Structure formats: C-alpha cells, structure tokens
Amino acid sequence: MRIINPYLTNGKENTREIQDVKIFGECKMPTISNEALREEFELFESDINEDFLTKLREMCLQFHQTEAEIAQEWVAFKSSKPGIQMSFTTLEKFEKEWLPRKKPRPVKQEAKSSTGVGAFSNRIGDEEVDLLTMYTGTPTSDGSKSAGKRQITPEEKNLIRKRLAVSEKNPAMIFSPNSFSPAPKRTVTPSSNKFLSRTSAGEVLVNFGATNGVAWGGAVQECTLAPYRPSQDSTKQYRYMFQKLSEKAQVLDDQIEEMTSFLCEKYHIEEFVNFTLPAQDVVHISGRVACDSIGKLNSQSVVLEGSRQLSQGRQIAVDLSELTEYALFPGQVIAAEGVNITGKKLLLKKVFQGVPLPLPQTITKSEPGINVRVLIAAGPYSAVDDLEYQPLVELLDIIERDTPDVCILMGPFVDSKNTLIENSNTQKTYKDLFNECMDTIADRTSRLNCKVILVPSLRDVHHHPVYPQGPYSLSKTIPQNFYLATDPCTMVINNIVFGLTSTDVLFHIGAEEVALIKTGNTDRLERLVRHMLQQHSYYPLYPPAEDVNADYEHFESVTMPVTPHVLITPSDLRYFIKESHECCCINPGRLAKGQVGGTYARLVLQPPTSTGNTSVVSTIAGQILRI
C-alpha cells in the first residue's frame, strides 16, 4: 500500500519519495531509515556513525517519532546540558530521562481527516463488519462463511441503529450508498383525531343583527356575480417585478394628493401650506405618516412626508404632545393643524382623520322579500401538521345541509405555514394538492347550484405571491358555479357590494399603529377596520409587511371604488362582525387553527328595494360559528 507521507509540514509537498507503509496493530507507522536520520542529524552533529543511527531508529519506533521530530528532541536535550556530546551513554540518558517526559504522539488516523485521501475509504470498523456479516454470512473459525444469514437479536438491532445514527454525522459516510438514497420521511401523527374529538362544533360565537327566526337554510336561488368595476377587478394574471422606482413614487404621491382633496372638501379647509417653511401662526398641512427610523412607530418617531407639489416630497418631525387623542400608522394620509416655529419640527394641535367614500348607488334587481344567504370561510382548510383537509370536509357537509346561495372561500388552500410543507415532507406537488381541493369542492357544490367565489391568498404556496394577486388558475375546465376572484376585489352579489381581501391587513396595521384613546369608542378591532375605510384602500399600510410583496404599478385595484356594503377581511386577530361607517365588517377567523377547528361566518341579506344610498347593514343578520 502506498500513500503520501502524512507528516508533511503545513500540508505542503515534500521532496522525499512516497514511502511504504507498514501496519503496527491498529496504527500505521512510516518506515524509519538510517539515511533519513543522517540527513536530519548532520545539521547538528558532524560525527555520527551507523550504530548511533540504529539506536535512534529504535527510539523513533518506540516513541512514535519521525526523523525530524527525534532530531528536534535531541537538540532540546542537548541544549539543556551544555557541552554534551553524542555517545551511547548520552543516548541512553536521552532515551530514559528525556523522551519518557514527552507524551507519545499517536499516529494520525486517516479517517479523522476531513480532506485526506483516505478519509472516505478506510472506515471499516465494527459497524461495517456487523452489516457485512448480515448479508454475507457469519465468518467461521477457519475463515469460511456459514451458509445462511446470521440471525440478529433485538439487542444487536438497537446497537446497529445507534451506530448508524452516529455514522451519519461522520464524513466517511458522504460517499456511502446510504447518502444517495432518499431521506426517510418523518412520521407525523395526524391531528384529525384531535379535530374529530372536539365538543364545541356548531357553537354560535357572535350574533349580529336580528338573528331570531332567521332561516339559515332553504332552497338555492339564482344569484348574479359581477365585479363592481371590471377595469379594476381584472380576472387576468399580470407580469410583476417590473415596476420602476419613478412609477412607484408617482403612485404614492397620487395617494397623498387624492386623500388631501377629500380632506379639504370634508373639513372645509381653504388651503394647505408647505410644512417645511417656518410658520408662527396655526396652518393646515397634509401628508403621509412615516417612521423616522427602522423599527416600530411610536409617539417620538413620527414624521410627516409631504407631496411633491406642496412640500417637495420632504419629511418633517412631528410633536404629538398637545394632542388628546390620535391613532396613526405608517402609510396613513392625514390633515392637521399645527405650528412650525423653527421649520424643523411640527407641533400638531389637531388631526383630521380620513373620510370614507360614499356608499354605492344601487338599483335592486331581485324580487322583494327574497334574501341572499352567504357562507364565508377562510383558510387554512387543514390542520397545521397534516394535509387531510378534515375541516374542509366538515365545511362541505355544512354547505350541503344549509344550501347557501353563495359560498365565499378565501385562501390559503395549500398553506405555506403548514409544517409538512415547510419541511417539504409531502408526497404530492403543491399544485396537485390544490387541484384535489378544487375537485372536491366542485363535486360537492355543483349539484347544489351554489355559487362559489374563490379568493387567493399570499400564503398559498402554489400561487403567485404578489399583491395585488391574480385569480387562481385551474388545471381543468372551470366549473360553471365557480367564480375566480382576485385579491383584493370589489364584487356585486345581487345588487349588494362586497369588498374582499384575504391578506391579513388588520394584523399588519395593528402591529404598527400608535394610538392614544381617552374617550369615545375604544374598540381596537373596529378602529383597524375604520382605517381601511377612511383611507379608501384594502391595504393602506406603507411600507408593507415583510411577507407582502406589493406591486405599486398595479395598485389601483387595491383602492376601494366605494364603501362596500360588506367588507370581509380574514385575520389571525379575534373573529368579529361589526358596523363601521354603515359597512358590515367581518373577520370570519380561520377554518383551522393549529390542530383544532376554527370558525366560519354566515349571513342573510335583504337586498335594497329602492334607488339611492340605502343602508344595507340594517337588513343583515349574521353569525360566527365554530366548525
């Protein structure tokens, strides 16, 4: 066997020839030659004969030293005893007094080297011998093999498992056959048993409006579905990641200009001034709320960013100390009264919140007395640690029982936060999982003549993660009772306007909002929804949350064309049905929460029967129930 000398200095090549290797027990020692010893000792000793070299060679083998190392030890020994000369007497003292004080250096094992030539070839130990005998038979005393496989006892099986678990961490296993085999799938305990063993299924958690005597079930009636503005609610996919900074800046500036005009008209403000100029008197200013640093907004870090036309797009620090109440978040466009004595900081005296858009002009197309029954659910539709979709099956059973006219199902259907998907521990592709869900929904709802509105989610791992988000794409023909919507979208269902977004905007705004509320309505959830209506946007937060990839080139579809009659915005916050600015705002919750069931919502609406800004919220009866 021939290897490169393992005792090279700093891994560099040596001029010596490759040496033969002999095996001493379990250690490998290089052959020590008198010629090599002479080369090393001629540097220190001028007169050295063959007898001395033979003695030194014996010491090298006894103390596991190389020629260079034994020479260095001799120099150290000689330095400690001035005037000493090489002789058999001094060599005996060197052997008995000096070398034993040095701990014998064990020879390097090649398998311990992560980069050596033999690192992946010489790991033949007890583990491999045991595995080898399992397949080739048990060696006998004469060196032959027994006829059959050796029977392995349970104790030996456990020992083999432990040894294999340790060997996976060893570099010697990199090129073993096991390394090219697929990793064993992690065994996951299904949580369907925990879901099926729940005791609160069907419990009513929230009531809204007059729910007594309401018929939640009945025959399905024909409903018409249409976008409120086809130009804004496009059903086609679009190219993203092509926005330019100049276009994005223009969109953000237009938002300030449009909201400023609404505030000016609502509060009868004559004019807004450039807030970067010093002003001793109280002036009216407008701009977008922002944070002066990276981090969460607080009362000391609020700055105001003006429009290009009024303030050249500059920012100025804001002092909120004289305000009795406020509720601000990054991206919110406000108007205010204040003074700017130094031109560097605004002292606000009063804040004018945004104003909601008017309700839509509606003309009824349905017969008087015919109600519209709507069921609303938001994903995920399976427990967090399985993909059995048991909550979805339960929901479809409820749909068959109650036969609603419209079902609004909002993503995610293939949730990116599912532990199996996070660990890539699935047997099917993400698209196949989604298509199976769609096939199941279509099969269970098509015979009921129930309309199904599907809204995508940014958490759908199989879909484009960009906001605004295009509709789902199905591998098969779209069923006639399906309506593939965008996120967000504004829809008309039998002359009732719905606003839909599956993005958790309430959670995102709530995480960034800074508020001081002393009197009046202290309902935080209603205040978060009110921000959306007052800012005329399904996602008014800027900059957006980290998991929201906003494309501002197509952001006009995120703007609300009107204040909808019903606003549906699922969130991880607590479920609710609330009224704000004559709009019925609903957070139906998640259909599955962890390993247990979540909640869904159902509504019964009476369409308006006259022309005008009729308040539909007074005719709505709604409930939130446990699945």
mmCIF file of all heavy atoms in Angstrom, residues 491-517:
data_model
loop_
_atom_site.group_PDB
_atom_site.id
_atom_site.type_symbol
_atom_site.label_atom_id
_atom_site.label_comp_id
_atom_site.label_asym_id
_atom_site.label_seq_id
_atom_site.Cartn_x
_atom_site.Cartn_y
_atom_site.Cartn_z
ATOM 1 N N MET A 491 -66.954 43.215 -5.440
ATOM 2 C CA MET A 491 -67.925 42.453 -6.214
ATOM 3 C C MET A 491 -69.339 42.890 -5.881
ATOM 4 O O MET A 491 -69.604 43.461 -4.819
ATOM 5 C CB MET A 491 -67.785 40.957 -5.921
ATOM 6 C CG MET A 491 -66.486 40.348 -6.365
ATOM 7 S SD MET A 491 -66.586 38.572 -6.256
ATOM 8 C CE MET A 491 -67.977 38.279 -7.348
ATOM 9 N N VAL A 492 -70.233 42.593 -6.812
ATOM 10 C CA VAL A 492 -71.658 42.848 -6.632
ATOM 11 C C VAL A 492 -72.371 41.505 -6.672
ATOM 12 O O VAL A 492 -72.274 40.765 -7.659
ATOM 13 C CB VAL A 492 -72.221 43.779 -7.721
ATOM 14 C CG1 VAL A 492 -73.706 44.016 -7.485
ATOM 15 C CG2 VAL A 492 -71.462 45.094 -7.743
ATOM 16 N N ILE A 493 -73.054 41.187 -5.584
ATOM 17 C CA ILE A 493 -73.841 39.959 -5.489
ATOM 18 C C ILE A 493 -75.297 40.361 -5.297
ATOM 19 O O ILE A 493 -75.677 40.839 -4.227
ATOM 20 C CB ILE A 493 -73.362 39.064 -4.329
ATOM 21 C CG1 ILE A 493 -71.865 38.750 -4.459
ATOM 22 C CG2 ILE A 493 -74.188 37.784 -4.256
ATOM 23 C CD1 ILE A 493 -71.310 37.968 -3.295
ATOM 24 N N ASN A 494 -76.087 40.174 -6.346
ATOM 25 C CA ASN A 494 -77.498 40.565 -6.290
ATOM 26 C C ASN A 494 -77.666 41.994 -5.775
ATOM 27 O O ASN A 494 -78.417 42.264 -4.837
ATOM 28 C CB ASN A 494 -78.293 39.594 -5.424
ATOM 29 C CG ASN A 494 -78.778 38.396 -6.214
ATOM 30 O OD1 ASN A 494 -78.221 38.071 -7.270
ATOM 31 N ND2 ASN A 494 -79.808 37.727 -5.724
ATOM 32 N N ASN A 495 -76.899 42.898 -6.372
ATOM 33 C CA ASN A 495 -77.013 44.328 -6.088
ATOM 34 C C ASN A 495 -76.458 44.732 -4.716
ATOM 35 O O ASN A 495 -76.691 45.849 -4.261
ATOM 36 C CB ASN A 495 -78.476 44.791 -6.187
ATOM 37 C CG ASN A 495 -78.571 46.260 -6.549
ATOM 38 O OD1 ASN A 495 -77.692 46.806 -7.205
ATOM 39 N ND2 ASN A 495 -79.639 46.917 -6.124
ATOM 40 N N ILE A 496 -75.744 43.835 -4.047
ATOM 41 C CA ILE A 496 -75.082 44.146 -2.783
ATOM 42 C C ILE A 496 -73.580 44.117 -3.032
ATOM 43 O O ILE A 496 -73.052 43.140 -3.580
ATOM 44 C CB ILE A 496 -75.471 43.140 -1.685
ATOM 45 C CG1 ILE A 496 -76.979 43.190 -1.452
ATOM 46 C CG2 ILE A 496 -74.723 43.429 -0.400
ATOM 47 C CD1 ILE A 496 -77.472 42.154 -0.469
ATOM 48 N N VAL A 497 -72.879 45.173 -2.635
ATOM 49 C CA VAL A 497 -71.460 45.327 -2.930
ATOM 50 C C VAL A 497 -70.635 44.705 -1.796
ATOM 51 O O VAL A 497 -70.819 45.055 -0.619
ATOM 52 C CB VAL A 497 -71.088 46.807 -3.128
ATOM 53 C CG1 VAL A 497 -69.595 46.948 -3.412
ATOM 54 C CG2 VAL A 497 -71.906 47.418 -4.258
ATOM 55 N N PHE A 498 -69.751 43.793 -2.179
ATOM 56 C CA PHE A 498 -68.849 43.137 -1.234
ATOM 57 C C PHE A 498 -67.415 43.573 -1.526
ATOM 58 O O PHE A 498 -66.990 43.613 -2.685
ATOM 59 C CB PHE A 498 -68.934 41.612 -1.377
ATOM 60 C CG PHE A 498 -70.141 40.987 -0.725
ATOM 61 C CD1 PHE A 498 -71.403 41.155 -1.271
ATOM 62 C CD2 PHE A 498 -70.013 40.234 0.418
ATOM 63 C CE1 PHE A 498 -72.507 40.576 -0.688
ATOM 64 C CE2 PHE A 498 -71.116 39.651 1.017
ATOM 65 C CZ PHE A 498 -72.372 39.824 0.467
ATOM 66 N N GLY A 499 -66.665 43.858 -0.469
ATOM 67 C CA GLY A 499 -65.229 44.083 -0.573
ATOM 68 C C GLY A 499 -64.494 42.902 0.048
ATOM 69 O O GLY A 499 -64.762 42.546 1.206
ATOM 70 N N LEU A 500 -63.588 42.271 -0.710
ATOM 71 C CA LEU A 500 -62.927 41.049 -0.262
ATOM 72 C C LEU A 500 -61.413 41.197 -0.340
ATOM 73 O O LEU A 500 -60.888 41.678 -1.345
ATOM 74 C CB LEU A 500 -63.343 39.850 -1.136
ATOM 75 C CG LEU A 500 -64.837 39.633 -1.391
ATOM 76 C CD1 LEU A 500 -65.042 38.504 -2.382
ATOM 77 C CD2 LEU A 500 -65.568 39.345 -0.091
ATOM 78 N N THR A 501 -60.721 40.809 0.706
ATOM 79 C CA THR A 501 -59.262 40.684 0.686
ATOM 80 C C THR A 501 -58.863 39.619 1.686
ATOM 81 O O THR A 501 -59.330 39.614 2.837
ATOM 82 C CB THR A 501 -58.556 42.010 0.997
ATOM 83 O OG1 THR A 501 -57.142 41.793 0.973
ATOM 84 C CG2 THR A 501 -58.959 42.568 2.343
ATOM 85 N N SER A 502 -58.009 38.687 1.263
ATOM 86 C CA SER A 502 -57.562 37.609 2.151
ATOM 87 C C SER A 502 -56.268 37.952 2.876
ATOM 88 O O SER A 502 -55.836 37.209 3.751
ATOM 89 C CB SER A 502 -57.365 36.323 1.343
ATOM 90 O OG SER A 502 -56.361 36.503 0.353
ATOM 91 N N THR A 503 -55.643 39.058 2.541
ATOM 92 C CA THR A 503 -54.408 39.476 3.209
ATOM 93 C C THR A 503 -54.726 39.988 4.604
ATOM 94 O O THR A 503 -55.694 40.723 4.806
ATOM 95 C CB THR A 503 -53.706 40.570 2.387
ATOM 96 O OG1 THR A 503 -53.469 40.083 1.068
ATOM 97 C CG2 THR A 503 -52.383 40.951 3.020
ATOM 98 N N ASP A 504 -53.925 39.617 5.572
ATOM 99 C CA ASP A 504 -54.190 39.965 6.971
ATOM 100 C C ASP A 504 -53.776 41.410 7.246
ATOM 101 O O ASP A 504 -52.831 41.682 8.000
ATOM 102 C CB ASP A 504 -53.439 39.002 7.892
ATOM 103 C CG ASP A 504 -53.986 39.018 9.312
ATOM 104 O OD1 ASP A 504 -54.784 39.921 9.618
ATOM 105 O OD2 ASP A 504 -53.616 38.136 10.101
ATOM 106 N N VAL A 505 -54.500 42.335 6.643
ATOM 107 C CA VAL A 505 -54.167 43.750 6.785
ATOM 108 C C VAL A 505 -54.442 44.244 8.201
ATOM 109 O O VAL A 505 -53.745 45.139 8.706
ATOM 110 C CB VAL A 505 -54.928 44.585 5.738
ATOM 111 C CG1 VAL A 505 -56.424 44.406 5.883
ATOM 112 C CG2 VAL A 505 -54.556 46.053 5.822
ATOM 113 N N LEU A 506 -55.444 43.685 8.872
ATOM 114 C CA LEU A 506 -55.756 44.130 10.235
ATOM 115 C C LEU A 506 -54.595 43.825 11.187
ATOM 116 O O LEU A 506 -54.221 44.661 12.011
ATOM 117 C CB LEU A 506 -57.030 43.440 10.732
ATOM 118 C CG LEU A 506 -58.304 43.697 9.926
ATOM 119 C CD1 LEU A 506 -59.494 43.003 10.576
ATOM 120 C CD2 LEU A 506 -58.577 45.192 9.813
ATOM 121 N N PHE A 507 -54.027 42.649 11.049
ATOM 122 C CA PHE A 507 -52.887 42.288 11.897
ATOM 123 C C PHE A 507 -51.683 43.168 11.590
ATOM 124 O O PHE A 507 -50.961 43.605 12.498
ATOM 125 C CB PHE A 507 -52.546 40.813 11.687
ATOM 126 C CG PHE A 507 -51.456 40.310 12.579
ATOM 127 C CD1 PHE A 507 -51.741 39.864 13.859
ATOM 128 C CD2 PHE A 507 -50.141 40.289 12.147
ATOM 129 C CE1 PHE A 507 -50.726 39.401 14.689
ATOM 130 C CE2 PHE A 507 -49.128 39.821 12.963
ATOM 131 C CZ PHE A 507 -49.416 39.383 14.241
ATOM 132 N N HIS A 508 -51.461 43.454 10.315
ATOM 133 C CA HIS A 508 -50.306 44.265 9.923
ATOM 134 C C HIS A 508 -50.441 45.702 10.423
ATOM 135 O O HIS A 508 -49.470 46.286 10.927
ATOM 136 C CB HIS A 508 -50.155 44.242 8.404
ATOM 137 C CG HIS A 508 -49.835 42.879 7.862
ATOM 138 N ND1 HIS A 508 -49.929 42.563 6.522
ATOM 139 C CD2 HIS A 508 -49.419 41.748 8.490
ATOM 140 C CE1 HIS A 508 -49.590 41.299 6.351
ATOM 141 N NE2 HIS A 508 -49.279 40.784 7.520
ATOM 142 N N ILE A 509 -51.639 46.285 10.282
ATOM 143 C CA ILE A 509 -51.839 47.657 10.772
ATOM 144 C C ILE A 509 -51.741 47.689 12.294
ATOM 145 O O ILE A 509 -51.119 48.586 12.883
ATOM 146 C CB ILE A 509 -53.194 48.212 10.299
ATOM 147 C CG1 ILE A 509 -53.209 48.360 8.779
ATOM 148 C CG2 ILE A 509 -53.476 49.557 10.944
ATOM 149 C CD1 ILE A 509 -54.535 48.838 8.228
ATOM 150 N N GLY A 510 -52.366 46.710 12.953
ATOM 151 C CA GLY A 510 -52.341 46.683 14.416
ATOM 152 C C GLY A 510 -50.937 46.558 14.981
ATOM 153 O O GLY A 510 -50.652 47.074 16.057
ATOM 154 N N ALA A 511 -50.047 45.892 14.249
ATOM 155 C CA ALA A 511 -48.680 45.745 14.733
ATOM 156 C C ALA A 511 -47.886 47.041 14.625
ATOM 157 O O ALA A 511 -46.873 47.203 15.317
ATOM 158 C CB ALA A 511 -47.977 44.638 13.956
ATOM 159 N N GLU A 512 -48.314 47.965 13.777
ATOM 160 C CA GLU A 512 -47.561 49.210 13.541
ATOM 161 C C GLU A 512 -48.255 50.446 14.102
ATOM 162 O O GLU A 512 -47.655 51.508 14.159
ATOM 163 C CB GLU A 512 -47.348 49.409 12.035
ATOM 164 C CG GLU A 512 -46.539 48.310 11.359
ATOM 165 C CD GLU A 512 -45.096 48.280 11.821
ATOM 166 O OE1 GLU A 512 -44.608 49.323 12.292
ATOM 167 O OE2 GLU A 512 -44.460 47.214 11.733
ATOM 168 N N GLU A 513 -49.501 50.333 14.516
ATOM 169 C CA GLU A 513 -50.268 51.509 14.940
ATOM 170 C C GLU A 513 -49.789 52.029 16.294
ATOM 171 O O GLU A 513 -49.435 51.262 17.189
ATOM 172 C CB GLU A 513 -51.755 51.139 15.022
ATOM 173 C CG GLU A 513 -52.649 52.315 15.384
ATOM 174 C CD GLU A 513 -54.044 51.883 15.783
ATOM 175 O OE1 GLU A 513 -54.171 50.861 16.488
ATOM 176 O OE2 GLU A 513 -55.013 52.566 15.418
ATOM 177 N N VAL A 514 -49.788 53.353 16.431
ATOM 178 C CA VAL A 514 -49.571 54.018 17.710
ATOM 179 C C VAL A 514 -50.818 54.853 17.984
ATOM 180 O O VAL A 514 -51.244 55.645 17.136
ATOM 181 C CB VAL A 514 -48.297 54.891 17.691
ATOM 182 C CG1 VAL A 514 -48.291 55.877 16.533
ATOM 183 C CG2 VAL A 514 -48.124 55.625 19.016
ATOM 184 N N ALA A 515 -51.444 54.647 19.139
ATOM 185 C CA ALA A 515 -52.745 55.271 19.412
ATOM 186 C C ALA A 515 -52.792 55.785 20.841
ATOM 187 O O ALA A 515 -52.178 55.214 21.753
ATOM 188 C CB ALA A 515 -53.877 54.282 19.158
ATOM 189 N N LEU A 516 -53.548 56.863 21.018
ATOM 190 C CA LEU A 516 -53.865 57.422 22.329
ATOM 191 C C LEU A 516 -55.359 57.729 22.319
ATOM 192 O O LEU A 516 -55.808 58.688 21.681
ATOM 193 C CB LEU A 516 -53.049 58.692 22.594
ATOM 194 C CG LEU A 516 -53.373 59.441 23.891
ATOM 195 C CD1 LEU A 516 -53.057 58.584 25.101
ATOM 196 C CD2 LEU A 516 -52.618 60.765 23.965
ATOM 197 N N ILE A 517 -56.136 56.881 22.971
ATOM 198 C CA ILE A 517 -57.590 56.996 23.002
ATOM 199 C C ILE A 517 -58.017 57.150 24.457
ATOM 200 O O ILE A 517 -57.780 56.254 25.273
ATOM 201 C CB ILE A 517 -58.275 55.772 22.360
ATOM 202 C CG1 ILE A 517 -57.716 55.516 20.957
ATOM 203 C CG2 ILE A 517 -59.782 55.970 22.317
ATOM 204 C CD1 ILE A 517 -57.980 56.607 19.961
#
